[in-house]
Amino acid sequence: MPDIIVTLLNLGVVQILLIVFVFVMGLASMMTLLGDRKQSAKIQNRVGPNRARLPFINHPLLGIPHFLADGIKMVLKENIVPDGANKTLHLIAPGLVFLPALVAWAAVPFMDTYCAGEMLIDTATWTETCQGEEHRWFQIMNFNSGLLYGFAIASISVYGAAIAGWASNSNFSLLGGLRSSAQMVSYEVSLGLSLAGVLMIYGTLDMNEMVRQQGYLIGDWLPMWGIVVQPVAFFLFFLAGMAETKRAPFDLPEGESEIVAGYITEYSSMKFAVMQLGEYVATVFIAALIAILFLGGWQVPWLFADGFHFGSTVIELPYWLVIILRIGAMCGKVVLLVWLQFMMRWTLPRFRYDQVMTLGWKILLPLSLANLVVTAFIMALF
Amino acid sequence: MAKHEVKQVERVEPGLWEKSYIPEIARGLKVTIGHFLNNLRPNKEKHTTFTREYPDVPTDYYPDRFRGLHRLMLRDDGQVRCVACMCCSTICPANCIHIEAAEHDDPAIEKYPAVFVIDELRCIVCGLCVEACPCDAIRMDSGVHAHPFTDRGEAFLNRDLLMEMGGLSMAKQGGER
Ligand code: SF4
Ligand code: SF4
């Protein structure tokens, strides 16, 4: 590999560009089109956007020209700041929603450390050890409290929503901001508590380390993914995560039928787009968290650094292919989870606000506490 | 006091199975995912989409009383049937029929429309003009959809154009037949 690329990789510039701008932004903006519009159309027996055309190409191209047209439209629209709004806060609120959602990606590993030396596989404990230099090339930042960091940063985005609601000088926005803060605060509790059981099992906050541990094969055949050892926590986390990202059926903060568009009512032009995009990025982030914590992150079942291990038979694969497979697995899992969240959105009707609160405080919270206690018991017994 | 008939509706109380939501959510997801996958199939025939791709694909079904573009009916000798009585332009709620009457050479016919223009973009396709016409001169049964116009001027359909779509009427001017 040319030296310059290696240097950039070690600096983390390439990762930032690839992960944040290509994968996350690409996926999030594609979701606004394909996820929100095409997928819903398919579910509802419609065709979806197909009229916009690129110049000289007389083909709908899956509706992608619509997405470009939307972008141009957003940029060209007039930026309206309502009378009596707090101009500064109104301006920084979209950034406060958008930035944390992007910054949180720093801790997400897309692959294990790149091993320059030889990888040793211990089939007794199903662990890989690297003999030689390790490079953190597939994770922007490496630190041993990645999960805490991710959570801390992701919860900042509620400030964006609350400030946007307050600064807009509109009652709809204010209600939306209030609802959004209340909802985020209540679900953050179960979100964190549902993870406590998982943390007890893995015993680490380092996301990459967590994924490594999920490579262990129980009884030499069942991958020890989070969903296998903590099924209840997976369910709780998925639900709370959906509420956290304000997706339907929990999209109360922007319930169209009640409060127009909640805290984004008074936003227009690119500010509106940034707000929306921030929400989609948050959705992708939650999907990535679920993938890492419960679905084995970059692990492909039975795949280790030297190939597939089925019992004692080994199908040898070159290391570079393993890397590609693992990155593909991580991206694929995220896409699948995002798809599932959208499916939920188009399947379930919206909750009433008191029902959301009941669900959060009276059902999810006790359940996650019970899960924690049971896990602790089992851990203590074995 | 009047006797009221009371109909008892049986309420179905959800059992614990339904109340726990999860199985029901899974059932709902099965339906939506089923639709989603079905409509992704490469074989378009099997799709359950209801969307009609008009105007790329012509519509296969119109109801009997479908109102399309207007047409002006003709007399037996091919002249315009309209007598420029202004009934249609008077009743038109969209104010989109413009008629300029002129004297006819034939003493048996009092007037004829020298100019007869309908602005199809303003027309709300209510069909009142057809109802108002005393001599079956204007109809909307051409079966032609108002197509998209790229220029406003194109939407002004004039007399000759409307007559081209017309034909002989079953009714006879002055009654009988
Ligand atoms: S259909 Fe209605 S709107 Fe159209 S020309 Fe006739 S009267 Fe006017
Ligand atoms: S079309 Fe019929 S109603 Fe209209 S001016 Fe002619 S004769 Fe009168």
Side-chain angles (χ1 to χ4, degrees):
Chain A
M1 238 185 287
D3 282 348
I4 175 85
I5 296 190
V6 174
T7 323
L8 286 178
L9 271 172
N10 283 337
L11 276 178
V13 180
V14 179
Q15 287 99 313
I16 294 177
L17 286 180
L18 278 183
I19 295 181
V20 173
F21 290 101
V22 177
F23 182 72
V24 178
M25 291 296 283
L27 188 59
S29 39
M30 278 314 270
M31 271 161 48
T32 49
L33 178 90
L34 290 178
D36 239 12
R37 296 166 74 182
K38 269 307 211 205
Q39 186 180 349
S40 66
K42 294 286 175 216
I43 296 165
Q44 296 166 350
N45 288 338
R46 293 183 283 113
V47 173
N50 66 345
R51 305 306 307 176
R53 300 282 146 96
L54 289 178
F56 313 117
I57 305 174
N58 194 18
H59 190 272
L61 298 173
L62 281 173
I64 290 170
H66 273 269
F67 157 63
L68 302 175
D70 270 356
I72 297 173
K73 184 185 85 176
M74 282 298 179
V75 174
L76 294 182
K77 275 205 168 175
E78 186 190 353
N79 175 23
I80 299 166
V81 182
D83 259 358
N86 186 324
K87 297 240 164 32
T88 329
L89 290 182
H90 190 265
L91 181 71
I92 61 171
L96 275 182
V97 174
F98 190 56
L99 269 185
L102 283 188
V103 172
W105 280 90
V108 175
F110 276 72
M111 222 311 274
D112 202 354
T113 48
Y114 178 83
C115 181
E118 207 183 333
M119 283 290 249
L120 290 186
I121 319 273
D122 181 0
T123 46
T125 52
W126 296 111
T127 44
E128 300 169 343
T129 18
C130 179
Q131 303 279 22
E133 217 185 327
E134 294 183 49
H135 297 283
R136 298 244 165 207
W137 280 351
F138 305 101
Q139 189 179 8
I140 295 177
M141 214 156 46
N142 156 38
F143 48 136
N144 50 16
S145 57
L147 190 64
L148 270 190
Y149 163 81
F151 265 87
I153 295 287
S155 5
I156 289 181
S157 71
V158 73
Y159 286 107
I163 288 177
W166 185 80
S168 290
N169 190 29
S170 148
N171 288 343
F172 290 131
S173 301
L174 192 58
L175 276 175
L178 273 178
R179 279 185 179 195
S180 140
S181 341
Q183 186 172 322
M184 296 274 266
V185 169
S186 354
Y187 278 83
E188 200 103 326
V189 181
S190 351
L191 200 67
L193 272 178
S194 66
L195 278 191
V198 183
L199 292 182
M200 275 155 86
I201 290 180
Y202 297 144
T204 174
L205 281 167
D206 184 340
M207 290 209 210
N208 198 31
E209 186 54 39
M210 282 180 181
V211 180
R212 272 190 196 164
Q213 292 191 17
Q214 293 182 52
Y216 180 75
L217 298 178
I218 305 173
D220 284 354
W221 65 273
L222 184 65
M224 204 188 78
W225 285 5
I227 190 169
V228 177
V229 286
Q230 287 275 301
V232 181
F234 168 74
F235 170 72
L236 295 172
F237 191 81
F238 189 82
L239 243 150
M242 271 186 23
E244 185 76 7
T245 49
K246 305 186 274 286
R247 310 301 314 163
F250 300 104
D251 58 347
L252 272 305
E254 40 199 87
E256 295 91 352
S257 45
E258 301 138 29
I259 49 174
V260 192
Y263 57 91
I264 37 183
T265 309
E266 301 294 348
Y267 280 89
S268 51
S269 169
M270 214 46 206
K271 282 196 211 157
F272 172 81
V274 165
M275 284 274 207
Q276 286 280 321
L277 216 55
E279 270 173 36
Y280 283 112
V281 173
T283 313
V284 188
F285 180 65
I286 289 287
L289 272 188
I290 298 173
I292 287 170
L293 294 167
F294 295 101
L295 297 181
W298 41 258
Q299 296 276 8
V300 184
W302 309 293
L303 178 73
F304 292 91
D306 62 347
F308 282 102
H309 286 250
F310 298 108
S312 50
T313 40
V314 178
I315 304 172
E316 300 254 343
L317 289 176
Y319 189 47
W320 58 267
L321 191 63
V322 171
I323 293 181
I324 292 177
L325 274 178
R326 283 180 165 176
I327 295 177
M330 175 69 191
C331 297
K333 280 168 192 170
V334 173
V335 170
L336 191 80
L337 282 166
V338 167
W339 174 82
L340 193 64
Q341 291 200 20
F342 273 103
M343 273 333 271
M344 297 288 261
R345 167 173 189 184
W346 297 111
T347 304
L348 302 177
R350 180 187 292 147
F351 282 100
R352 222 170 45 219
Y353 200 68
D354 59 323
Q355 289 170 331
V356 170
M357 285 294 141
T358 315
L359 182 69
W361 289 108
K362 291 197 184 158
I363 300 176
L364 289 190
L365 185 59
L367 268 182
S368 40
L369 279 174
N371 180 51
L372 182 61
V373 172
V374 172
T375 317
F377 255 112
I378 294 177
M379 295 278 291
L381 285 181
F382 296 101
Chain B
M1 214 178 85
K3 212 176 135 203
H4 293 287
E5 216 168 283
V6 178
K7 194 174 169 199
Q8 287 275 347
V9 180
E10 232 176 274
R11 253 172 207 276
V12 187
E13 280 292 324
L16 196 64
W17 179 254
E18 274 170 52
K19 267 193 185 157
S20 71
Y21 285 119
I22 297 139
E24 293 299 305
I25 289 178
R27 233 159 50 108
L29 273 177
K30 209 178 106 197
V31 173
T32 42
I33 292 182
H35 276 268
F36 177 71
L37 294 180
N38 183 48
N39 288 332
L40 271 191
R41 285 204 276 189
N43 183 357
K44 286 221 162 130
E45 304 275 297
K46 298 258 173 71
H47 288 189
T48 44
T49 16
F50 288 111
T51 314
R52 290 196 188 136
E53 303 243 15
Y54 186 85
D56 293 344
V57 182
T59 312
D60 48 4
Y61 164 76
Y62 278 125
D64 288 344
R65 306 198 62 177
F66 169 77
R67 298 196 282 266
L69 284 186
H70 299 82
R71 60 178 187 154
L72 282 178
M73 308 301 285
L74 306 178
R75 287 168 194 272
D76 291 347
D77 58 0
Q79 291 188 55
V80 67
R81 215 178 147 81
C82 169
V83 294
C85 71
M86 307 283 178
C87 282
C88 53
S89 66
T90 309
I91 201 162
C92 176
N95 232 343
C96 65
I97 308 181
H98 174 75
I99 304 171
E100 279 170 28
E103 205 167 327
H104 201 281
D105 298 336
D106 186 349
I109 307 172
E110 205 174 314
K111 293 188 289 181
Y112 81 103
V115 176
F116 193 112
V117 179
I118 301 183
D119 181 352
E120 293 288 353
L121 273 185
R122 278 182 77 171
C123 172
I124 57 166
V125 205
C126 64
L128 284 178
C129 48
V130 181
E131 301 292 329
C133 181
C135 48
D136 189 23
I138 187 167
R139 288 201 194 171
M140 301 184 75
D141 58 357
S142 59
V144 183
H145 231 107
H147 48 272
F149 303 100
T150 46
D151 181 59
R152 217 154 234 290
E154 283 174 33
F156 295 123
L157 299 194
N158 62 21
R159 188 191 67 188
D160 297 332
L161 214 72
L162 292 165
M163 274 166 68
E164 249 169 52
M165 283 191 282
L168 296 183
S169 167
M170 288 292 287
K172 188 170 160 64
Q173 218 116 24
E176 289 168 44
R177 190 184 299 202

